[in-house]
Amino acid sequence: IQRWVFKFTPYIIQRVRSNKNQVGKRWRMDETYIKVKGQWRYLYRAVDKQGNTVDFLLTKRRQRMSAQSFLIRAIEGNGVPEIINIDKSGANTAGIRTINKRSLSLKKIKIRRVKYLNNIVEQDHRTIKRRIAISTGFKEFESAQRTLAGIEIINIIRKNQLKDSRSSWFNTFKSLAA
């Protein structure tokens, strides 16, 4: 199964990103820690106000460039948000400010730090953590990326975020893999 995950996940990710419904313009962004080969890695995630998954990215470091690359990827797939709610992470703040400086449009992203508003994304981390806790852990960064992407895809299907959702999760997943 792991070989199938490794081989087919990039293809399914591409299909999910092209078939995903539009998300809201108010995002909650946060990162969580994932252990890979005994070292902490950072899973950047964002959800909108309703709890729909915006995007996700596993990085080796927690720094401005990681947050910035996550934001660029999320904005390319979902448009520019009005407001991003974050915790007091300096990397996230610097990443958003860099995006605002480099943005050619007049629309700037407003940064908001309200702790209780990030509860949506914090609760959404639980599904990832629960799946990882039952496994033996990750030995390689690449396999961690692809496995976490698979878990995120299932969560996107579970939240009915795809344009052509089928009657069941299995049928939706089967249509993506076909």
Side-chain angles (χ1 to χ4, degrees), residues 136-148:
T136 58
F138 298 111
K139 304 297 181 220
E140 296 294 328
F141 185 77
E142 186 70 24
S143 66
Q145 273 184 321
R146 293 187 186 200
T147 303
L148 290 170

